[in-house]
């Protein structure tokens, strides 16, 4: 009798394990990663670099394809996911503080942060202000002094929409530097950081506002001088020669996390797979090398904390936007 009972328990355990294995979700074939901008910017960097490491770690069965979908500061991609890909298990979308900024300012009409699944963050990409190698501005103080004397005299370019995160960083720095009439500061919006930088390098715009990963290549080639990083302290490694805004007497901080969201209607097992995959990728040596090369600073809230972080950041940026006059 006891033997039969033992066999029944063993059989139930095996059947239960088989059911668990059968229900475990894994990606099959190609995975799509939407970068909500043209090639050359931070979202494009996120999709392509993460895609490469996912492939290296065998966390995907085939290639991760990057699809560039520019428009409305990420709004075109957000609407596309909600309207056409709402249950796609094999879709990731690059996101950042630029995304939460647009959501905070109600720029995605009728859409909000609760409508997607926030997968995870893979580091913070700190904001920078940079000028061309031949610029007359040698540091952030001289640039902001010119803006204080005449807000219209200094033109900025960035890869976010007007009122977006890159624009907001200029206003944060200018406000901290005592510049008045903030809305008068010219800000030219481009589809990505790469396009915005070429305007500065070409002498058409005075300064670039974006993130360190976007500016790194132009800085290393000598075409761009980064006059301030908007971080609490200097970045590590090769970026340690770049001064912070804070050490120049301007209390301006601009951390830009990089990560992903996915369709909220995707299978729950698929959502868990991607959350776990991002966890695995973040702790890998391969990703640590990518972070070091591109100036990313460690930033990775736990899976059960990331959604709450995004919700809080949206609320904080909404308040800041009202203070600066971008929202009524």
């Amino acid at each position: 009798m006891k033997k039969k009972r033992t066999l029944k328990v063993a059989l139930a355990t095996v059947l239960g394990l088989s059911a668990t294995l059968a229900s475990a979700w894994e990606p099959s074939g190609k995975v799509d990663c939407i970068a909500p901008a043209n090639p050359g910017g931070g979202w494009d960097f996120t999709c392509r670099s993460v895609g490469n490491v996912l492939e290296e770690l065998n966390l995907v069965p085939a290639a991760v394809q990057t699809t560039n979908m520019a428009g409305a500061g990420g709004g075109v991609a957000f609407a596309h996911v909600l309207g056409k890909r709402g249950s796609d298990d094999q879709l990731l979308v690059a996101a950042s503080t630029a995304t939460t900024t647009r959501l905070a300012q109600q720029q995605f009409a009728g859409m909000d942060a609760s409508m997607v699944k926030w997968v995870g963050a893979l580091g913070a990409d700190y904001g920078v202000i940079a000028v061309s190698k031949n610029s007359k501005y040698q540091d952030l103080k001289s640039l902001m002094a010119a803006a204080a004397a005449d807000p219209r005299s200094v033109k900025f370019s960035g890869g976010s929409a007007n009122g977006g995160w890159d624009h907001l960083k200029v206003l944060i720095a200018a406000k901290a530097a005592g510049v008045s009439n903030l809305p008068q500061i010219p800000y030219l919006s481009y589809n990505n950081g790469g396009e915005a930088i070429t305007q500065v390098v070409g002498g058409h715009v005075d300064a670039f506002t974006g993130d360190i990963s976007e500016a790194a290549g132009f800085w290393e080639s000598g075409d761009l001088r980064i006059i301030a990083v908007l971080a609490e302290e200097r970045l590590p490694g090769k970026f340690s020669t770049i001064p912070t805004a804070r050490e120049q007497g301007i209390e301006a901080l601009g951390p830009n996390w990089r990560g992903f969201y996915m369709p909220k209607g995707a299978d729950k097992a698929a959502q868990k797979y991607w959350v776990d995959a991002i966890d695995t990728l973040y702790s890998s040596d391969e990703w640590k090398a990518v972070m070091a090369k591109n100036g990313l600073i460690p930033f990775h809230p736990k899976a059960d904390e990331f959604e709450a972080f995004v919700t809080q950041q949206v609320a904080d940026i909404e308040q800041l936007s009202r203070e600066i006059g971008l929202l009524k």
Side-chain angles (χ1 to χ4, degrees), residues 139-201:
D139 51 34
L140 186 62
K141 287 189 76 171
S142 62
L143 182 74
M144 288 301 168
D150 179 5
R152 294 187 182 89
S153 69
V154 182
K155 291 182 181 178
F156 290 85
S157 66
S160 76
N162 279 281
W165 181 235
D166 287 344
H167 188 189
L168 206 57
K169 282 181 290 198
V170 172
L171 300 179
I172 290 169
K175 183 182 179 184
V179 179
S180 56
N181 297 318
L182 297 176
Q184 292 183 11
I185 298 174
Y187 172 79
L188 304 177
S189 169
Y190 293 89
N191 278 325
N192 60 66
E195 288 182 21
I197 289 171
T198 58
Q199 296 300 309
V200 175
V201 171

Side-chain angles (χ1 to χ4, degrees), residues 96-98 100-101 123-128 165 169 172 210-211 229-232 252-258 297 299 309 313 317:
S96 63
T97 307
T100 48
T101 297
D125 196 0
Y126 275 93
V128 297
W165 181 235
K169 282 181 290 198
I172 290 169
D211 296 312
V229 59
L230 307 183
E232 292 86 346
L253 299 176
N256 184 14
W257 60 264
R258 297 211 170 275
I297 302 302
F299 180 75
F309 163 80
Q313 187 177 56
I317 293 175

Side-chain angles (χ1 to χ4, degrees), residues 271-291:
Q271 292 182 12
K272 184 179 187 310
Y273 180 89
W274 291 117
V275 169
D276 291 346
I278 294 303
D279 277 345
T280 300
L281 179 142
Y282 183 76
S283 62
S284 71
D285 290 338
E286 288 85 348
W287 184 250
K288 287 171 184 172
V290 171
M291 289 179 66

Side-chain angles (χ1 to χ4, degrees), residues 17-46:
L17 181 60
S18 298
T20 301
L21 290 172
S23 65
W25 185 91
E26 288 186 355
S28 59
K30 176 176 60 83
V31 172
D32 193 12
C33 185
I34 293 178
N38 290 333
W43 286 329
D44 185 68
F45 157 78
T46 303

